[in-house]
Amino acid sequence: MSDSPSRGSVPGFTIRNLRTGDAEVISAAFSTIGWNKPQSQYEKYLHRQESGDIVVFVAEVDSAFAGYLVVVWKPAYSPFADKGIPEISDLNVLPEFRRRGIASALMDSAEAKIFERGDMAGIGVGMTPDYGAAQKMYPLRGYVPDGRGLTHNGEPIRYKQPIVADDSLGLWFTKDLRRP
């Protein structure tokens, strides 16, 4: 993807692919808000993108890092992997840039890229309040639960199973990209 504004973007920001030099900038941006997102994570993302395992979309507002999203072609969540459904993962927009359509533009870019290869997209969302915006956004975009219920670390929760509400507790959704 080029450095030009993406489909669905609004004036003032661009969506592009992750590139060399981004790892330090992204990690530092999240560090300033107290999130532990090490530089090595984005270096690994760049390496995986270069090998074709993933695609990382980066949003910038007036050349300043604003957020990113990852498309994983072969996800760890076995119901997606078994059906060849790519997973949209790790969507993050810095708080100062939220409510500007950036997450939606990142999702538009991801869905367009996935549609080049197939017609289904998958996504998981955490179940704690930290994921509230995503919990509301995904159904509004046409994502529906995959019908397998809650998971912890990607494994189904059994009836009456004690669970820990952390970042590994999630619900999985799919979207038929052929539908508007």
Side-chain angles (χ1 to χ4, degrees):
M1 173 166 260
S2 70
D3 290 355
S4 62
S6 78
R7 172 178 79 94
S9 68
V10 296
F13 69 87
T14 58
I15 306 292
R16 61 170 176 79
N17 289 118
L18 184 70
R19 60 186 178 211
T20 304
D22 285 339
E24 184 177 356
V25 172
I26 295 171
S27 179
F30 283 112
S31 181
T32 63
I33 62 168
W35 292 12
N36 181 25
K37 296 225 174 233
Q39 182 174 335
S40 61
Q41 174 179 338
Y42 303 101
E43 291 166 348
K44 288 176 187 172
Y45 279 172
L46 183 60
H47 177 73
R48 289 184 66 198
Q49 179 176 267
E50 289 169 347
S51 69
D53 293 338
I54 66 173
V55 177
V56 183
F57 293 100
V58 174
E60 292 181 324
V61 174
D62 299 324
S63 300
F65 169 75
Y68 73 96
L69 170 152
V70 179
V71 174
V72 181
W73 296 116
K74 295 178 183 174
Y77 181 57
S78 61
F80 289 175
D82 293 347
K83 292 183 178 178
I85 300 172
E87 178 188 346
I88 296 172
S89 174
D90 206 11
L91 170 59
N92 288 284
V93 176
L94 292 170
E96 68 191 272
F97 296 113
R98 292 180 184 161
R99 312 284 312 154
R100 296 188 193 186
I102 293 170
S104 290
L106 285 164
M107 291 288 292
D108 289 345
S109 296
E111 290 171 359
K113 183 55 111 175
I114 291 169
F115 194 61
E116 292 174 7
R117 294 188 180 194
D119 54 21
M120 292 295 290
I123 197 162
V125 66
M127 293 289 98
T128 63
D130 293 341
Y131 297 93
Q135 292 166 359
K136 292 178 356 184
M137 180 176 75
Y138 300 154
L140 291 173
R141 291 186 63 88
Y143 287 83
V144 295
D146 72 352
R148 290 179 172 81
L150 286 174
T151 64
H152 195 265
N153 290 319
E155 296 297 319
I157 302 295
R158 296 179 314 279
Y159 186 68
K160 292 191 176 186
Q161 173 185 347
I163 56 171
V164 174
D166 61 11
D167 289 338
S168 299
L169 182 65
L171 188 63
W172 299 86
F173 294 77
T174 58
K175 178 179 179 178
D176 184 339
L177 299 174
R178 296 170 295 183
R179 296 185 183 161

